[in-house]
């Protein structure tokens, strides 16, 4: 419906009272003189408002242009691109290992999952089979960061809807995972932990014991959150029946991850296309029924518990042995050896100065990211840099569903629906 402006007529023919004083006629809207169909259209006049790109509830530099009829959303237009990152193009000018720092800046809420997914895609292209210890270490890091990401989602979604205490509890647990990040990689957010053929280093002393200790107390936080939210009348009223999408539509829109499973589709890359022996771990895929904001909350809550189950098993089966493959053309030699052995020094020089070389070909690999199916596609011409790097970022597809979910909803529900999708702009504006 085209927008119309109500114009008020403020001038009338002056009238004089019997005593000669001026009578002011009432101000009458012009619309009163219009046909009934036009008056109805004007009374239904729509308003355009902006949410973002600086609004905290957009969870990044996202701008939502909303057309409102009263408080009902008639149309939603997401505007992206404010970050201007260009990660995929930058990757064409970086060696295979130099791209790793770009990956953890896409989803900085679960950086180790991106680190591992990219390294796995390049290793598949190069035909490299990482060591058993490396496989288990990567599983530990990815599941820990899945919890890491879901905790941020839970805390920020709760604060968007009005539950401030949950934000404090979840970020307290996130801070402990930050400590593990920093102890292993030296950084809290930009981890850059993987290398083609292995990891930046082996786990430091006491790290595994620290994770075990954290896992013993972490589920209590989830219990407290569920006590506060799951049957809370305000939380239920703000989330149940809001942002509903059925299984067929969710598949057609490209939904994946917790958002897809909340709609009743039990698809999980770790189960359907197992990697790193996920099929040998004992865990379940939580699935919702209604595909609303409430189900997306329940699915992520249970996913954190399942990730904790996987972590316990991975810590128990963590084998001894090397963390990196034994290939001097891929992995740097120990510094002591590089300083005392000529051949090791030559390999060190070539890996640093020329980079690892991949054979001609292409590779696609997908993993179960915290926000959905994360795919990495790389193309090599036989050199030390990719000629093409393409990322299948789940947040980019998830946000495309936002207009459908919010149209017909109330303005207040837009905040809850947008939060329930769990997007990160770093992987959208890549």
């Amino acid at each position: 419906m085209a927008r119309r402006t109500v114009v008020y007529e403020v001038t009338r023919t002056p009238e004089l009272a019997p005593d000669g004083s001026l009578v002011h006629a009432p101000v009458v809207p012009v619309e009163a003189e219009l046909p009934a169909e036009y008056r109805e259209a004007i009374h239904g006049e729509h308003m355009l408002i902006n949410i973002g790109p600086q609004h905290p509830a957009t969870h990044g530099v996202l701008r939502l242009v909303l057309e409102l009829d009263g408080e009902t959303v008639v149309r939603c237009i997401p505007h992206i691109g404010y970050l201007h990152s260009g990660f995929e193009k930058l990757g064409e000018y970086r060696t295979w290992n130099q791209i790793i720092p770009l990956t953890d800046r896409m989803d900085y809420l679960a950086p180790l999952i991106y680190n591992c997914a990219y390294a796995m895609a390049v290793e598949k292209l190069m035909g490299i089979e990482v060591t058993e210890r490396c496989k288990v270490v990567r599983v530990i890091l990815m599941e820990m960061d899945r919890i890491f990401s879901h905790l941020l989602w839970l805390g920020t979604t709760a604060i968007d809807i009005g539950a401030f205490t949950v934000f404090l509890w979840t970020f307290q647990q996130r801070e402990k995972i930050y400590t593990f990040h920093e102890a292993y990689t030296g950084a809290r957010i930009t981890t850059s932990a993987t290398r083609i053929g292995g990891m930046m280093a082996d786990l430091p002393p006491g790290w595994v014991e620290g994770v075990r200790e954290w896992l013993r107390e972490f589920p209590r936080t989830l219990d407290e959150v569920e006590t506060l939210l799951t049957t809370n009348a305000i939380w239920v009223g703000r989330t149940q029946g809001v942002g509903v999408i059925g299984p067929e539509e969710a598949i057609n829109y490209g939904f994946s991850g917790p958002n897809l499973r909340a709609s009743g589709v039990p698809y999980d890359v770790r189960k359907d296309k197992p990697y790193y022996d996920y099929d040998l771990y004992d865990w379940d895929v939580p699935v919702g029924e209604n595909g609303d904001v409430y189900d997306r909350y329940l699915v992520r809550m249970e996913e954190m518990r399942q990730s904790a189950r996987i972590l316990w098993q991975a810590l128990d089966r963590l084998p001894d042995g090397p963390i990196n493959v034994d290939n001097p053309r891929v992995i740097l030699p120990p510094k002591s050896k590089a300083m005392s052995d000529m051949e090791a020094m030559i390999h060190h020089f070539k890996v640093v100065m020329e980079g690892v070389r991949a054979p001609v070909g292409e590779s696609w690999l997908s993993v179960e990211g915290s926000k959905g199916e994360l795919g990495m596609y790389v193309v090599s011409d036989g050199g030390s840099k990719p000629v093409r790097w393409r990322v299948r970022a789940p947040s980019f597809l998830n946000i495309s569903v936002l207009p459908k979910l919010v149209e017909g909803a109330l303005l207040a529900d837009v905040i809850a629906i947008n939060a329930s999708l769990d997007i990160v702009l770093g992987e959208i504006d890549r």
Side-chain angles (χ1 to χ4, degrees):
M1 183 185 299
R3 297 188 67 206
R4 293 179 173 85
T5 303
V6 180
V7 180
Y8 288 89
E9 186 175 359
V10 295
T11 56
R12 295 284 182 180
T13 303
E15 297 181 12
L16 296 178
D19 60 356
S21 61
L22 183 65
V23 176
H24 293 282
V27 177
V28 180
V30 172
E31 64 178 78
E33 301 174 356
L34 296 175
E37 62 268 24
Y38 289 100
R39 292 202 303 271
E40 183 179 352
I42 289 173
H43 284 302
E45 179 184 310
H46 294 175
M47 177 187 298
L48 288 178
I49 68 168
N50 287 286
I51 299 181
Q54 288 85 23
H55 197 288
T58 58
H59 299 273
V61 281
L62 169 67
R63 176 188 174 211
L64 300 177
V65 179
L66 301 178
E67 182 182 351
L68 302 179
D69 182 3
E71 290 192 38
T72 302
V73 178
V74 176
R75 189 165 58 136
C76 170
I77 306 173
H79 286 256
I80 63 176
Y82 288 92
L83 287 179
H84 307 288
S85 301
F87 290 128
E88 293 171 331
K89 192 64 180 177
L90 285 173
E92 298 175 15
Y93 300 91
R94 303 291 187 275
T95 63
W96 298 103
N97 274 317
Q98 286 175 341
I99 293 175
I100 292 170
L102 300 179
T103 63
D104 49 49
R105 285 159 173 80
M106 289 189 188
D107 186 358
Y108 38 82
L109 309 179
L112 290 167
I113 296 179
Y114 258 80
N115 288 168
C116 293
Y118 167 75
M120 291 163 67
V122 179
E123 288 159 358
K124 180 181 178 181
L125 173 66
M126 299 178 64
I128 295 175
E129 182 74 18
V130 296
T131 66
E132 289 301 314
R133 182 172 178 83
C134 180
K135 287 181 182 179
V136 179
V137 166
R138 287 183 179 179
V139 168
I140 293 171
L141 297 177
M142 287 191 285
E143 292 307 316
M144 188 172 66
D145 267 33
R146 192 180 317 279
I147 296 174
F148 184 64
S149 176
H150 285 357
L151 284 172
L152 183 135
W153 171 85
L154 178 59
T156 55
T157 299
I159 205 171
D160 283 347
I161 297 178
F164 184 75
T165 303
V166 176
F167 173 81
L168 299 177
W169 288 347
T170 57
F171 270 64
Q172 184 183 41
Q173 294 298 325
R174 272 178 57 86
E175 189 64 29
K176 295 177 181 178
I177 301 179
Y178 270 133
T179 302
F180 295 126
H181 280 187
E182 190 171 12
Y184 180 39
T185 70
R188 288 161 57 87
I189 301 176
T190 51
T191 51
S192 304
T194 56
R195 298 292 183 269
I196 307 305
M199 305 298 294
M200 61 173 290
D202 208 338
L203 298 176
W207 195 88
V208 171
E209 290 72 20
V211 175
R212 287 183 186 274
E213 184 178 350
W214 168 71
L215 280 174
R216 291 188 188 97
E217 47 122 331
F218 165 66
R220 288 199 294 270
T221 298
L222 297 183
D223 294 339
E224 291 172 346
V225 171
E226 287 197 294
T227 301
L228 194 62
L229 293 183
T230 304
T231 58
N232 184 294
I234 297 175
W235 182 264
V236 170
R238 289 294 308 275
T239 57
Q240 284 190 356
V242 176
V244 178
I245 183 169
E248 294 81 8
E249 286 183 307
I251 293 172
N252 289 337
Y253 272 100
F255 253 4
S256 60
N259 294 324
L260 178 64
R261 292 188 284 274
S263 295
V265 181
Y267 175 71
D268 190 304
V269 181
R270 296 170 292 175
K271 285 282 191 183
D272 293 89
K273 303 173 186 176
Y275 52 91
Y276 286 173
D277 301 327
Y278 266 108
D279 51 330
L280 303 181
Y281 291 90
D282 181 23
W283 61 286
D284 301 314
V285 178
V287 179
E289 297 179 353
N290 304 304
D292 55 8
V293 174
Y294 189 73
D295 272 14
R296 293 193 272 275
Y297 153 73
L298 292 178
V299 165
R300 288 189 176 92
M301 290 294 291
E302 183 58 29
E303 277 198 5
M304 285 189 276
R305 298 186 185 276
Q306 296 302 320
S307 290
R309 285 179 62 187
I310 296 172
L311 277 171
W312 276 117
Q313 297 171 65
L315 291 170
D316 290 339
R317 66 182 294 174
L318 181 63
D320 295 327
I323 193 81
N324 296 327
V325 297
D326 185 16
N327 186 342
R329 290 183 172 83
V330 175
I331 294 294
L332 291 172
K335 189 172 182 180
S336 59
K337 195 173 180 180
M339 300 297 290
S340 60
D341 182 79
M342 177 60 71
E343 185 177 0
M345 185 175 68
I346 292 172
H347 284 306
H348 184 284
F349 178 84
K350 291 180 72 66
V351 170
V352 171
M353 299 304 296
E354 298 178 4
V356 180
R357 291 189 174 273
V360 177
E362 61 183 11
S363 170
W364 164 266
L365 184 134
S366 63
V367 302
E368 184 65 33
S370 61
K371 296 164 181 59
E373 184 171 0
L374 168 62
M376 293 282 178
Y377 174 69
V378 290
V379 182
S380 172
D381 62 356
S384 59
K385 302 174 183 178
V387 295
R388 186 74 172 93
W389 174 38
R390 178 74 169 85
V391 181
R392 193 266 187 202
S395 291
F396 182 78
L397 295 166
N398 291 346
I399 199 174
S400 68
V401 195
L402 186 61
K404 173 192 166 35
L405 296 181
V406 303
E407 287 172 6
L410 296 176
L411 175 60
D413 293 334
V414 174
I415 304 302
I417 295 170
N418 182 55
S420 74
L421 297 180
D422 190 17
I423 60 171
V424 58
L425 270 297
E427 69 175 36
I428 292 175
D429 294 342
R430 65 193 182 285

